[in-house]
Amino acid sequence: MSFTITTANVNGLRAASGKGYVEWLTATSADVICLQEVRAEPLQLAEHVREPEGWHTLWAPSTAAKGRAGVAVLTRQEPLARRVGFGSAEFDTTGRYAEVDLPGLTVASLYLPSGEVDTPRQEEKERFMAEFLEYLKSLRKRAEEAGREVVVCGDWNIAHREVDLKNWRTNQKNAGFLPEERAWLGRVLDEAGYVDVVRRLHPEGPGPYSWWSYRGRAFDNDAGWRIDYIMTTPGLAAKSLAAHVERAPSHPERWSDHAPVTAVFDDLG
Amino acid sequence: MSFTITTANVNGLRAASGKGYVEWLTATSADVICLQEVRAEPLQLAEHVREPEGWHTLWAPSTAAKGRAGVAVLTRQEPLARRVGFGSAEFDTTGRYAEVDLPGLTVASLYLPSGEVDTPRQEEKERFMAEFLEYLKSLRKRAEEAGREVVVCGDWNIAHREVDLKNWRTNQKNAGFLPEERAWLGRVLDEAGYVDVVRRLHPEGPGPYSWWSYRGRAFDNDAGWRIDYIMTTPGLAAKSLAAHVERAPSHPERWSDHAPVTAVFDDLG
DNA sequence: CCTAGAACG
DNA sequence: CGTTATAGG
C-alpha cells in the first residue's frame, strides 16, 4: 500500500471549477489534497466542489478579507482532528494555514504570503516567516515526541535555489527569491529539520517548476518557479517513493497558474 | 432631404463594440449620433471605434473618474465648433455633456446623473438638474437670438409620466421617477421651452421605452423606462417627421441595456 | 445583471 | 494576465 499527497494552488476555486478542477479531482488517485488560494467561503462553492463525493474536507477561508487566500485539506479518510491557523494572533484569520490529523500523520496546507519588495506586504511576509518557523519547529518536536510524522505542503512563495526558477539572475531583488527568503527556507530544512521531498527525489534541476506567471509567455517559455513544496519530517521523507509536478500540456487544460505537486510514500503502517 | 439624429447610451463602448455596436454603426443611416456612458478614454478605444470611417467625432470622457460616464457626438459633417461641458465647475470634467455646432444647429449629448435616493448621488443629481436647467434656458435664448436650432439628446435618467415606464406605481419613490424629478423635466419643457420630439410624434403610450434593466427578466417582460429623450427647440420640433426606438429583438443583438432612439427631421435648409 | 477600475498575485 | 470585491448603474 502506498499513500499519495497532492498540493495545488487553485488560484480561485470557483474559477478553477469551471476550467477543469472538477475533472482533475474526479480523476486523481491521491489520498490527501491540500489546496491554496481557494478565494471563497465554503458556501460560495458549488456543493459538489464543497463536499466532493468520497472526500472529507476542511475549509479555512480568510475571514479577514473576502475573496483572498484560503486553504483547504481534503482527505479520503475522516480526520481525527481539524485545526485552522497555527496559533498566530495576526494570521489565523487570514486563510493561510490549516491542518488535519490522520492516524500517525499530521497534514498541513500552507499559503505563505506572496510579498512585494518595498511594500507593507513584504513586511507581512517577513512577520509570517518569523512566526511560522517557530511553529514548524514546535510542530516537529511535538510530532517526534508523539511518534507521529508531519507533512506541510502548499505554496511557500519562495524559490530556494537558483535551480528552482528559470530566470534566477533577474529575480534576485524580487519577492520570492530574495537572499533572506532563500535563507529562511534553508532554516526550515536545516534548523527545523524538514525535508523537501520533491528535491530529495529529483536532486537535479532545473525545476521541476510548479508556477508560471499568467503574464507574457511565461508558461509557453517554461519560465517557471518551484515555490510549491511538500515538506515532511525525516521519517516520512525516508518513505517517499516518487514525486512529480502535473504540468498541464496546454491552455485548455490549465485551470490555475500553479500545477499540482504530488508525492507518493510507502505504506505508513 | 431629411436629417436623422440618434441617441444611444452604450453602457461601456468597449464592451458594446464586441457585441454589435460596430455593426450597428456601419448600418445606420443617421447623420448625427449622440453617445452616453462611453466609459473609456478615446485612446482606450479601438481605432475603428474611435475614428470611424466617414464620421467626425467629439469625445468627452470623464477625467474626474476613469471608466465612468463619458459622452460623445458623432457627425457626418465636420462641426463648426466643439464644446465640452456647460460651464459648470462641478460637472464639466465628469463626461456628462458635450455639444457641437453644425450650420444652423447645435447638437448636444447629455448623460444626466442616475441618482439613488438617500445617497449623496441623489444630491449630485439634484445639483446637476438645477445647474443644467439654467444652462438649457440660456442655450435656448442664445440660439433664438442667433436664429439657430438646438437639439439636446441623451440619457436624462428621468421618466416623465406614468406612461413612460411600465411599473410606475412601484417606482414612485425610486430615483428616476421621483415627483421632483418629473416636475423638473416638466420645467425643461414648459419653462425652458424644449420639445420632447418622440412624445410629440407618439402622443400615445405606453412607451416607447428606451431602457430595460439587466436585472431579472426586465427586457423579456418589457419592464422598460423611457429615459432617453431627444429635446429640441420648437422650430426644429416643427420639422420632425418620424421617431422610433430600436428595441433589439433579442439578446444576441443587444449590445446595451438602452436602445438607440432616433428622430428624423425635414430639411433644415 | 453588467461594466469597469483596483488590489492582489 | 487572471481572479475577486466593489462602485456604479
Side-chain angles (χ1 to χ4, degrees):
Chain A
M1 281 295 290
S2 67
F3 179 83
T4 300
I5 184 160
T6 293
T7 182
N9 178 316
V10 297
N11 190 30
L13 188 49
R14 282 170 287 179
S17 295
K19 297 196 299 182
Y21 164 83
V22 171
E23 295 73 11
W24 172 84
L25 180 65
T26 305
T28 187
S29 59
D31 299 289
V32 172
I33 296 173
C34 294
L35 303 179
Q36 302 86 37
E37 280 206 89
V38 169
R39 299 178 72 172
E41 291 170 44
L43 288 175
Q44 296 178 299
L45 300 170
E47 198 193 325
H48 67 286
V49 175
R50 185 174 66 248
E51 299 171 7
E53 175 106 36
W55 292 93
H56 295 87
T57 59
L58 169 60
W59 299 103
S62 167
T63 55
K66 296 180 54 175
R68 300 276 164 77
V71 296
V73 184
L74 279 62
T75 54
R76 303 233 191 229
Q77 269 190 279
E78 181 159 14
L80 304 172
R82 298 162 151 94
R83 292 179 293 276
V84 170
F86 58 96
S88 163
E90 180 174 4
F91 296 110
D92 281 359
T93 59
T94 61
R96 295 196 174 270
Y97 187 82
E99 60 187 31
V100 305
D101 289 339
L102 299 177
L105 177 68
T106 295
V107 179
S109 181
L110 165 71
Y111 176 48
L112 201 139
S114 165
E116 185 179 356
V117 285
D118 296 330
T119 73
R121 293 175 42 241
Q122 189 64 22
E123 297 165 29
E124 182 189 341
K125 183 176 188 174
E126 287 163 11
R127 288 196 304 277
F128 190 105
M129 285 158 60
E131 207 170 332
F132 190 60
L133 180 58
E134 295 313 306
Y135 178 74
L136 283 173
K137 290 181 195 172
S138 79
L139 177 64
R140 161 115 198 265
K141 190 176 170 206
R142 284 182 285 119
E144 212 159 70
E145 290 166 1
R148 306 166 49 75
E149 302 294 342
V150 175
V151 51
V152 179
C153 50
D155 178 356
W156 295 64
N157 265 315
I158 299 170
H160 188 199
R161 301 205 175 123
E162 295 169 3
V163 75
D164 291 318
L165 69 170
K166 182 166 182 184
N167 299 317
W168 69 266
R169 210 176 281 275
T170 54
N171 277 301
Q172 291 177 104
K173 291 183 175 174
N174 289 336
F177 198 58
L178 299 173
E180 54 271 32
E181 296 174 338
R182 300 172 57 191
W184 179 84
L185 213 45
R187 294 177 67 195
V188 170
L189 306 180
D190 302 335
E191 206 172 291
Y194 290 80
V195 178
D196 173 353
V197 164
V198 172
R199 181 56 76 217
R200 176 184 193 270
L201 292 164
H202 299 277
E204 301 291 308
Y209 307 135
S210 61
W211 173 75
W212 303 262
S213 171
Y214 275 128
R215 298 172 219 191
R217 305 250 178 292
F219 188 76
D220 297 336
N221 298 340
D222 200 28
W225 296 51
R226 194 170 77 93
I227 55 179
D228 301 277
Y229 298 91
I230 296 173
M231 300 290 200
T232 74
T233 40
L236 183 56
K239 295 195 172 184
S240 63
L241 300 175
H244 73 284
V245 173
E246 267 175 76
R247 190 191 198 280
S250 61
H251 282 288
E253 321 276 337
R254 210 179 162 209
W255 41 267
S256 171
D257 49 350
H258 293 248
V261 178
T262 297
V264 184
F265 300 90
D266 197 5
D267 186 11
L268 304 179
Chain B
M1 281 293 289
S2 67
F3 179 82
T4 301
I5 184 160
T6 294
T7 183
N9 178 316
V10 297
N11 189 29
L13 188 49
R14 282 170 287 180
S17 296
K19 299 195 298 184
Y21 165 82
V22 172
E23 294 73 13
W24 172 83
L25 179 66
T26 305
T28 186
S29 60
D31 300 288
V32 172
I33 297 173
C34 294
L35 303 179
Q36 301 86 38
E37 279 207 89
V38 169
R39 300 179 70 171
E41 291 170 43
L43 288 175
Q44 296 178 299
L45 300 170
E47 199 195 323
H48 67 285
V49 175
R50 185 174 67 250
E51 298 171 8
E53 175 106 35
W55 292 93
H56 295 86
T57 58
L58 168 59
W59 299 103
S62 167
T63 55
K66 298 181 54 177
R68 301 276 164 77
V71 296
V73 183
L74 279 62
T75 54
R76 303 229 191 232
Q77 268 189 281
E78 180 159 15
L80 304 172
R82 296 161 152 95
R83 292 178 294 274
V84 169
F86 58 95
S88 162
E90 179 174 5
F91 296 110
D92 281 359
T93 60
T94 60
R96 296 197 172 269
Y97 187 82
E99 60 187 31
V100 305
D101 288 341
L102 298 176
L105 175 69
T106 295
V107 178
S109 181
L110 164 71
Y111 176 48
L112 201 139
S114 168
E116 186 178 356
V117 287
D118 294 331
T119 73
R121 294 174 43 243
Q122 188 65 22
E123 297 166 27
E124 183 190 339
K125 183 175 188 175
E126 288 163 10
R127 289 196 303 278
F128 190 105
M129 286 160 59
E131 208 172 331
F132 190 61
L133 179 59
E134 295 312 307
Y135 178 74
L136 282 174
K137 292 181 194 170
S138 79
L139 176 65
R140 160 118 199 263
K141 189 174 171 207
R142 285 182 285 120
E144 212 158 70
E145 289 165 0
R148 305 168 49 75
E149 303 293 344
V150 175
V151 51
V152 180
C153 49
D155 179 356
W156 295 64
N157 264 315
I158 299 170
H160 188 199
R161 300 205 177 125
E162 294 169 5
V163 75
D164 291 319
L165 69 170
K166 182 166 181 183
N167 299 316
W168 69 267
R169 208 175 282 275
T170 53
N171 276 301
Q172 292 178 105
K173 291 181 176 176
N174 289 335
F177 198 58
L178 299 173
E180 54 270 34
E181 296 174 338
R182 300 171 58 189
W184 179 85
L185 212 46
R187 294 177 67 194
V188 170
L189 307 180
D190 302 335
E191 205 173 293
Y194 290 80
V195 178
D196 173 354
V197 165
V198 172
R199 182 55 77 216
R200 176 184 193 269
L201 292 165
H202 299 278
E204 301 291 309
Y209 307 136
S210 61
W211 174 75
W212 302 262
S213 170
Y214 274 129
R215 297 171 220 189
R217 304 249 178 293
F219 189 75
D220 296 336
N221 298 340
D222 200 29
W225 295 52
R226 194 170 77 95
I227 56 180
D228 301 277
Y229 298 90
I230 296 174
M231 301 289 199
T232 75
T233 40
L236 183 55
K239 294 193 172 184
S240 62
L241 300 175
H244 73 283
V245 174
E246 268 174 74
R247 190 192 199 280
S250 62
H251 281 289
E253 321 275 336
R254 209 179 163 209
W255 41 267
S256 170
D257 48 350
H258 294 248
V261 178
T262 297
V264 184
F265 301 90
D266 197 6
D267 185 12
L268 304 180

